[in-house]
Amino acid sequence: MSVITLVADEATLKKMENFYADFFVKTPAHARFQAKVPNCTITAYRSQKVVFQGTKADYEAKTWQAFGASTQAKVLPNKTQAPSPTTIAFDQFDCIGCDESGVGDYFGPVTAACIYIPKAETRRLQALGITDSKKMTDERISEIAPQLMTEFPHAITILPNPKYNQLQAQGIHGHMMKALLHNQALTKLLQQEIARYDYIIMDQFVNEQAYYRYFSTLKVEPVRNLTFVEKAESKSVAVAAASVLARYTYVKAMEKLSQQLGRPLPKGAGKAVDRFAAQLITESGLESLNEYAKQHFATTQKAIALAAE
Ligand code: MG
C-alpha cells in the first residue's frame, strides 16, 4: 500500500470535491472530505493537503498532478511539512485578508472586515502606505479606506453594543463573536465575483482548532481553509488593508454614536474612559451604557465606583 500527499489550491480542491462526490464517506476530524474509490482512500484536509492511500494511490494522485501548473499541486517530499504559514510570502499570492477592530475599546462596536487583494496590486498598496492600521493615523485611514472600498471586493460586518452585550450575557465570549463576525464577512465576500485566490488569511486571535470549535459549538457552518497567521497585518498587505477597513468602520460608527450622544465618545480604555463612563452613569443611568459600551469590561465597575463618589 502506498501513501501520497499532494498540496492543492482551492480551485483544485473544489474540482476534487466534485469529482469524488459520489464516493464520499464520513468526514474524519480536521478533514474537508474523505472519499473511498476502489483501492484508494482520498482524504482532503483543511490545510489543503490531500492524502491518497491504497494500492491505487499513485494512479489517483497522478490524475491531479496532471493538472500541472494550473493546479499548483505538488508532491510533498516524505516526512516534510508544508511550509508553515509564517514563512509564506503572502504578498506574492492573491489573498483575502481578514482583521477586526474595536475589540479593546470600551465604547463602540466590534467591526470585522475582509478584502480581496490580487498579487498584482500589493506593491502599489504598499507604496500608498497601507500597513497595520495601528501604525496609521485615523485621518490617513479615512482617506485611504474609501479608495480601497471602491477598488477591491470586500465585506464588512458590525456588531453594535446592544447586540454585543446580549451575546455576552448568553455566554458567547469575545473570541466567539469575532469568529462569527469574520465568518459573516467572509461569507458575504465569497458570494461576490472573485477571480481566484490562494489564501484566506486570518489575523490570528485564536488558534485554528479553537476557531472551528466555536462554530461546532454554535452550530454554524464556517468558511473553511483559512490560514491563521500571528501579526498578519505586518505579513500581508491584504490583512493590512482589512485592518484599515475595520478601523475605518469602527471610527465611523464612533462618530455616529458621538452624534447621538451629543459629544465625542473616547476610544480605547483607561482612566479617561472610566471617567467618561462614570459621567454617563450619573447623567443617564447605568442602563445607558448598553447602547454605547461593552458592559462586561472592568471599566463598568470602575465607573460605577467613580459615579458613587
Ligand atoms: Mg487583528
Side-chain angles (χ1 to χ4, degrees):
M1 186 169 96
S2 61
V3 179
I4 292 173
T5 304
L6 299 183
V7 176
D9 61 14
E10 183 57 30
T12 311
L13 281 167
K14 287 227 172 83
K15 276 184 205 150
M16 286 187 186
E17 215 161 351
N18 291 334
F19 186 82
Y20 291 120
D22 290 340
F23 303 98
F24 278 0
V25 292
K26 193 172 177 295
T27 311
H30 306 298
R32 179 174 162 143
F33 68 81
Q34 186 170 64
K36 276 190 192 329
V37 298
N39 301 314
C40 187
T41 301
I42 302 103
T43 312
Y45 290 93
R46 292 170 198 166
S47 61
Q48 300 195 304
K49 278 189 208 172
V50 187
V51 178
F52 299 82
Q53 230 169 333
T55 50
K56 284 275 178 102
D58 191 38
Y59 171 82
E60 288 296 329
K62 274 213 172 94
T63 313
W64 299 104
Q65 284 174 269
F67 275 86
S70 69
T71 67
Q72 295 180 350
K74 59 177 183 280
V75 182
L76 283 183
N78 261 352
K79 296 235 171 184
T80 54
Q81 298 287 312
S84 97
T86 45
T87 65
I88 298 171
F90 290 112
D91 289 344
Q92 293 170 19
F93 295 92
D94 301 320
C95 290
I96 293 171
C98 311
D99 202 8
E100 71 279 331
S101 188
V103 174
D105 300 86
Y106 180 62
F107 289 113
V110 175
T111 63
C114 55
I115 184 163
Y116 169 71
I117 307 287
K119 58 177 180 259
E121 298 285 352
T122 54
R123 285 247 173 115
R124 184 170 67 88
L125 296 187
Q126 280 159 347
L128 275 174
I130 294 195
T131 178
D132 180 0
S133 64
K134 290 189 279 300
K135 293 178 186 154
M136 293 169 68
T137 63
D138 284 341
E139 289 69 33
R140 183 69 184 136
I141 285 171
S142 66
E143 284 166 11
I144 225 155
Q147 195 181 330
L148 287 172
M149 287 156 87
T150 47
E151 284 191 49
F152 300 101
H154 64 278
I156 290 168
T157 43
I158 304 180
L159 184 62
N161 295 100
K163 185 72 186 171
Y164 179 103
N165 294 326
Q166 187 197 331
L167 292 174
Q168 188 77 38
Q170 289 169 4
I172 297 175
H173 56 72
H175 280 351
M176 275 183 162
M177 289 190 234
K178 275 190 254 177
L180 284 170
L181 273 184
H182 278 302
N183 194 58
Q184 280 172 12
L186 272 174
T187 305
K188 277 201 278 182
L189 178 61
L190 293 174
Q191 282 164 359
Q192 300 176 36
E193 194 110 338
I194 296 173
R196 61 176 295 284
Y197 60 87
D198 297 301
Y199 293 100
I200 301 176
I201 310 162
M202 180 65 65
D203 183 33
Q204 180 165 329
F205 57 91
V206 282
N207 64 45
E208 184 170 357
Q209 287 77 10
Y211 180 89
Y212 288 117
R213 205 167 50 236
Y214 296 156
F215 291 96
S216 29
T217 306
L218 297 164
K219 299 194 168 50
V220 171
E221 187 49 43
V223 173
R224 297 196 182 272
N225 288 309
L226 310 190
T227 302
F228 292 80
V229 181
E230 283 177 17
K231 299 196 172 64
E233 313 93 331
S234 56
K235 291 165 189 156
S236 151
V237 81
V239 178
S243 81
V244 167
L245 293 196
R247 176 70 185 178
Y248 176 73
T249 308
Y250 172 77
V251 170
K252 282 271 157 207
M254 282 292 276
E255 281 171 12
K256 220 169 154 188
L257 285 172
S258 298
Q259 259 173 23
Q260 193 180 312
L261 184 66
R263 62 183 190 278
L265 279 160
K267 299 179 189 107
K271 290 234 161 66
V273 171
D274 298 348
R275 280 195 299 273
F276 194 100
Q279 212 182 340
L280 207 59
I281 294 172
T282 307
E283 286 169 18
S284 321
L286 188 58
E287 62 283 357
S288 63
L289 291 177
N290 186 47
E291 187 66 20
Y292 300 103
K294 301 176 186 82
Q295 285 176 301
H296 71 105
F297 274 36
T299 307
T300 302
Q301 295 314 315
K302 289 183 203 161
I304 290 171
L306 281 173
E309 273 174 12

